[in-house]
Amino acid sequence: MAKERRKAVLELLQRPGNARCADCGAPDPDWASYTLGVFICLSCSGIHRNIPHVSKVKSVRLDSWEDVQVEFLASRGNAVARATFESQVPPFYYRPSASDCQLLREQWIRAKYERQEFTHPERQEPYSAGYREGFLWKRGRDNGQFLSRKFVLTEREGALKYFNRSDAKEPKAVMKIEHLNATFQPAKIGHPHGLQVTHLKDNSTRNIFVYHEDGKEMVDWFNALRAARFHYLQVAFPGASDADLVPKLSRNYLQEGYMEKTGPKQTEGFRKRWFTMDDRRLMYFKDPLDAFARGEVFIGSRESGYTVLDGLPPSTQGHHWPHGITIVTPERRFLLACETESEQRAWMEALRKVVDRPMLPQEYAVEAHFKHKP
């Protein structure tokens, strides 16, 4: 009987919607919540175990199943659960994938099943009200210390502001929603809730690094920023559909890591720098947590004279790392070197993806600005 019940559970995986994890979309889920009636991956099952009052999980292949549990799973499944627990997810709310950080996946699961935010829209107020204020730990630009700072997000003013003192009248910085991006960077920041917020200041990228001890608070801030971007873009592009706007709300970096670079004359030695590929901006920093980039390179399209070559010119000297990349732009060549072949391959792939993509009209204006930089 136990074998037959397990076989019945395995057969349920063949039903539409059950072949991927109900929470992160990973293929071939091996676990199931027999109280929620969903099939989930190993990673998400660990998060479900942290909410035992809501979800109880078993291995599809290894655990024994009772008739009542099999019947409940058969009556539910991922599609039915999605129609219930995700019935009112706002279009701007970030739906994490298997590659996203633990915090985003955990808070998505808790929001769905524990707090039931998407069946009770009034519970979405922390990130959908158009205004949010609170304290976050922010990394100091010069000393690297994290200090508590008051942040205010106001859609009406189209800005995220922070204040050095809670009683300060004037903000220390005003970041326009129009040019704002936020991406979770727990490893780089050294905190599981670490968020990197970037904005343009005098058309150069400025980084700030923040976290909050409470994971829900941090994800609410992230989704409030996405909501503000969504509403700004709805006004800026009145004919655009939600599907057109959602990919523009926030972006993860295409590639990050250390490479060596040399200067424009290619005669000075190569220096190790931290590189970040943010859409068409390739930025380099002395330290991964620097507030401003040492330099930015615009990566245009093949049609506009940009190419990415494997290796370095034969005459190149002074690089310690063996795996070279040459970026050809209409103005000059940029010579870079990676420590390992796998890093070189990853960078080449990321750069070529951008070069192979035709440029949008507004990107030509950005390119023109880069050409006129001193």
Side-chain angles (χ1 to χ4, degrees):
M1 276 297 281
K3 228 176 206 175
E4 285 169 19
R5 285 194 290 263
R6 195 175 297 138
K7 187 182 171 201
V9 173
L10 283 165
E11 283 172 359
L12 292 175
L13 284 170
Q14 308 309 313
R15 287 192 184 175
N18 292 347
R20 289 186 170 273
C21 173
D23 297 324
C24 74
D28 308 318
D30 252 351
W31 292 75
S33 167
Y34 60 87
T35 52
L36 295 169
V38 292
F39 291 91
I40 51 178
C41 68
L42 173 63
S43 184
C44 288
S45 76
I47 298 170
H48 278 250
R49 275 201 200 88
N50 291 334
I51 47 171
H53 52 292
V54 174
S55 182
K56 290 187 164 43
V57 298
K58 280 187 175 185
S59 165
V60 167
R61 296 169 199 281
L62 303 175
D63 288 327
S64 57
W65 289 83
E66 295 165 25
D67 282 334
V68 65
Q69 294 167 349
V70 178
E71 284 163 19
F72 181 67
L73 264 180
S75 72
R76 300 283 290 186
N78 291 3
V80 172
R82 192 168 290 125
T84 306
F85 293 108
E86 298 180 27
S87 62
Q88 298 185 68
V89 181
F92 59 77
Y93 195 96
Y94 189 82
R95 295 168 177 259
S97 69
S99 59
D100 278 305
C101 66
Q102 170 86 2
L103 174 68
L104 276 169
R105 288 182 294 114
E106 180 187 350
Q107 289 304 319
W108 166 240
I109 287 167
R110 286 184 180 273
K112 271 205 290 186
Y113 307 121
E114 185 182 41
R115 300 192 292 268
Q116 297 194 4
E117 290 174 15
F118 312 126
T119 48
H120 300 278
E122 70 278 4
R123 295 177 188 172
Q124 298 170 14
E125 197 264 344
Y127 45 81
S128 60
Y131 180 88
R132 184 178 172 86
E133 67 172 72
F135 287 85
L136 297 172
W137 292 98
K138 177 192 166 291
R139 187 180 190 272
R141 191 179 86 185
D142 301 319
N143 60 11
Q145 265 186 312
F146 279 89
L147 297 168
S148 180
R149 294 288 181 253
K150 181 184 172 183
F151 280 78
V152 174
L153 172 66
T154 159
E155 284 189 17
R156 194 170 52 79
E157 295 176 34
L160 173 68
K161 304 184 275 193
Y162 77 85
F163 299 80
N164 269 356
R165 293 194 324 276
S166 56
D167 60 349
K169 294 278 188 288
E170 293 301 316
K172 173 72 175 162
V174 177
M175 297 163 256
K176 285 288 177 199
I177 297 297
E178 180 185 357
H179 300 301
L180 200 76
N181 185 43
T183 177
F184 279 98
Q185 294 274 20
K188 190 201 276 191
I189 293 170
H191 192 282
H193 305 161
L195 186 75
Q196 180 172 351
V197 179
T198 61
H199 65 107
L200 289 181
K201 187 174 180 180
D202 307 324
N203 213 51
S204 290
T205 305
R206 164 84 158 95
N207 296 320
I208 66 165
F209 302 94
V210 295
Y211 71 85
H212 194 287
E213 294 294 356
D214 184 313
K216 178 187 181 299
E217 278 283 313
M218 204 64 254
V219 174
D220 283 350
W221 269 105
F222 177 63
N223 280 304
L225 290 170
R226 283 175 59 88
R229 291 263 312 148
F230 183 63
H231 297 137
Y232 161 76
L233 290 168
Q234 280 182 315
V235 174
F237 303 99
S241 67
D242 289 358
D244 290 331
L245 299 181
V246 166
K248 296 180 170 68
L249 302 186
S250 64
R251 38 182 208 282
N252 294 328
Y253 299 131
L254 303 179
Q255 187 71 18
E256 280 200 293
Y258 282 108
M259 288 193 284
E260 290 184 328
K261 70 166 287 292
T262 185
K265 296 193 179 69
Q266 295 160 13
T267 50
E268 57 263 54
F270 278 70
R271 289 199 173 90
K272 181 176 155 185
R273 294 288 181 254
W274 179 266
F275 280 80
T276 297
M277 185 84 193
D278 183 9
D279 199 34
R280 290 198 183 273
R281 286 175 184 259
L282 178 65
M283 299 171 279
Y284 55 92
F285 304 83
K286 194 167 183 184
D287 183 275
L289 296 175
D290 281 349
F292 290 101
R294 288 292 176 101
E296 302 191 30
V297 182
F298 181 85
I299 308 293
S301 65
R302 200 174 300 286
E303 295 86 357
S304 302
Y306 294 81
T307 48
V308 182
L309 305 174
D310 190 339
L312 299 169
S315 59
T316 310
Q317 293 178 331
H319 54 102
H320 305 100
W321 287 349
H323 304 283
I325 298 172
T326 302
I327 301 172
V328 181
T329 77
E331 271 68 52
R332 58 167 280 205
R333 287 169 178 248
F334 292 87
L335 309 186
L336 310 169
C338 301
E339 189 173 16
T340 68
E341 194 179 340
S342 65
E343 287 172 339
Q344 181 209 35
R345 273 200 305 270
W347 275 108
M348 294 278 292
E349 190 183 328
L351 287 160
R352 280 181 173 157
K353 260 186 197 158
V354 172
V355 166
D356 289 343
R357 199 174 74 215
M359 274 164 63
L360 300 169
Q362 59 267 36
E363 291 175 331
Y364 284 100
V366 178
E367 181 191 38
H369 175 84
F370 269 79
K371 286 178 177 175
H372 294 118
K373 268 191 176 183

